[in-house]
Amino acid sequence: MKISLITPAAKTSRAGNRTTAMRWARILGDLGHQVDVATTYEADPDADLMLALHAWRSGASIARFKARHPDRPVIVALTGTDIYHYLDADPEPTLRSLDLADRLIGLHDLVPTALPERYRHKVDIVLQSALAHRERWPPSDEVFEVLVVGHLRAEKDPFCAARAARRLPARSRIRIVHLGGAHDAAWASRAETEMADNPRYAWLGDRPGSLTRRWLTRGRLMVLSSLQEGGANVISEAVVSSLPVIASDIPGTRGLLGPDYPGYFPTGDDAALAAMLLRAEEEPAFLQVLHERGGMRAHLFSPARERESLYQIFARYAEAHNGNDTSPEIPKPKRIRTDHGGLR
């Protein structure tokens, strides 16, 4: 099929939506589809199907495609802001996208329970995959490095780990290393001020994914302090990199690490986070438990599993499009067209 893949994240963005879109475009290309990646849908009469990331932000593109091609399927991948913000803050366009969608994709196991009941039958779960960097950096001997990987935005509560680090006793060797771009100049200024006032905090800014994955092999621990997540890919990346995780107790993380994972802290509670960080630093047995429990989930984030999940979702439409040909043979990969530009 020819698939119009819509992501609101710009071509140069390192946001999670863009990363997901390009990975899925490669997978779908390998499955034999032609994928056109763009930020908005304009007028492609040849598109057989739309895959849109973000129900709210891509709402106009979803509506435009369905108006022009009412009999062609639309699949909408739900983000954390869709589920945990816009369903309440701006329900009309968000629900319209859910109504127009033939299928919905959730990125963690608890997505269906967060939706109105009438949409739950539409949901397929696709857990985002990750590959660990093949070369590991040795950990620092001087400090106990704790990574925060995420852009500086309000829903990430990005300075929670920095606040927690201020509470640590003088004997602690913990140092927070934060990788992620600032949403705007005000966030960058806050990060720079935090670095100047807090010797335990270092903000490295936006970094390429390959460098971030190298850091994941070096850190002793990762903190995900988000107030909301739709299924953070960085959890997958940490787990497959054998990096223990401490995370805020939110559905988007419970749906990835499981309900009984021992590394949750109350959302926004930097005092509780500080206590857990110190325990991880000073109790090797606790750090090992986090490592082992994460390792038990690593198989869920394999590229083969993500590929199979997407294959199952799109196969039903490909079969209908091709006259119900159910041949198991997977076609040779096709190239991916990105943002109406060159082919990849």
Side-chain angles (χ1 to χ4, degrees):
M1 294 182 296
K2 184 175 183 181
I3 297 172
S4 174
L5 196 164
I6 303 300
T7 173
K11 188 175 182 179
T12 56
S13 172
R14 291 198 180 105
N17 283 345
R18 188 73 191 190
T19 301
T20 301
M22 297 313 300
R23 187 177 64 256
W24 285 2
R26 288 192 293 271
I27 294 172
L28 292 170
D30 288 344
L31 292 173
H33 304 293
Q34 179 182 336
V35 185
D36 183 354
V37 181
T39 55
T40 59
Y41 175 78
E42 298 304 332
D44 183 355
D46 298 325
D48 302 305
L49 179 150
M50 172 178 282
L51 169 59
L53 276 68
H54 210 301
W56 185 82
R57 294 188 189 281
S58 298
S61 292
I62 294 166
R64 191 177 300 120
F65 182 86
K66 266 300 187 183
R68 292 176 178 173
H69 309 295
D71 297 328
R72 299 182 190 181
V74 168
I75 299 172
V76 177
L78 300 171
T79 68
T81 49
D82 282 330
I83 303 166
Y84 305 113
H85 177 68
Y86 287 114
L87 273 177
D88 290 328
D90 197 5
E92 183 177 350
T94 309
L95 293 173
R96 182 174 64 244
S97 292
L98 270 58
D99 288 329
L100 292 174
D102 295 273
R103 299 298 299 175
L104 302 169
I105 292 179
L107 302 180
H108 68 82
D109 288 340
L110 299 181
V111 166
T113 63
L115 298 176
E117 188 171 356
R118 66 184 184 274
Y119 300 112
R120 294 175 188 175
H121 71 283
K122 293 185 178 185
V123 180
D124 294 298
I125 303 300
V126 178
L127 300 184
Q128 299 187 84
S129 66
L131 286 172
H133 203 286
R134 285 174 288 186
E135 296 182 12
R136 300 189 69 87
W137 279 353
S140 171
D141 292 327
E142 298 178 357
V143 293
F144 188 94
E145 287 177 329
V146 175
L147 303 183
V148 174
V149 181
H151 296 305
L152 276 62
R153 305 200 313 264
E155 59 267 27
K156 302 288 186 181
D157 194 7
F159 299 114
C160 186
R163 298 194 307 268
R166 290 173 178 265
R167 295 177 174 272
L168 294 169
R171 69 179 185 273
S172 173
R173 298 186 304 121
I174 285 177
R175 182 171 185 258
I176 308 298
V177 178
H178 191 161
L179 297 97
H183 181 64
D184 55 31
W187 281 106
S189 177
R190 286 184 61 182
E192 291 163 358
T193 299
E194 184 67 30
M195 277 197 296
D197 295 342
N198 185 350
R200 294 188 185 274
Y201 177 77
W203 175 52
L204 303 187
D206 198 10
R207 291 290 184 267
S210 58
L211 181 59
T212 299
R213 287 188 289 275
R214 291 289 291 270
W215 270 101
L216 292 173
T217 69
R218 168 184 167 125
R220 304 292 185 94
L221 186 69
M222 187 186 81
V223 169
L224 184 71
S225 56
S226 300
L227 306 179
Q228 60 184 37
E229 286 285 355
N233 200 186
V234 72
I235 291 287
S236 312
E237 293 176 333
V239 167
V240 303
S241 298
S242 300
L243 180 65
V245 175
I246 290 176
S248 50
D249 190 0
I250 58 175
T253 303
R254 283 182 166 268
L256 295 178
L257 294 175
D260 57 351
Y261 182 75
Y264 298 126
F265 69 95
T267 306
D269 190 340
D270 52 81
L273 175 57
M276 192 169 283
L277 288 175
L278 191 63
R279 185 182 177 194
E281 180 187 14
E282 297 186 342
E283 297 182 25
F286 176 59
L287 193 63
Q288 182 62 24
V289 166
L290 295 179
H291 175 269
E292 291 174 355
R293 294 294 293 276
M296 293 169 62
R297 310 284 291 184
H299 69 283
L300 300 175
F301 309 125
S302 71
R305 184 184 177 100
E306 184 179 33
R307 183 178 187 272
E308 177 63 21
S309 297
L310 290 172
Y311 171 75
Q312 293 295 335
I313 293 168
F314 285 85
R316 70 192 74 171
Y317 299 113
E319 290 168 5
H321 176 70
N322 294 319
N324 294 315
D325 178 6
T326 58
S327 170
E329 181 180 356
I330 296 176
K332 292 181 180 180
K334 293 186 178 181
R335 294 177 295 175
I336 302 164
R337 187 180 299 277
T338 62
D339 292 280
H340 309 294
L343 290 167
R344 295 181 56 177

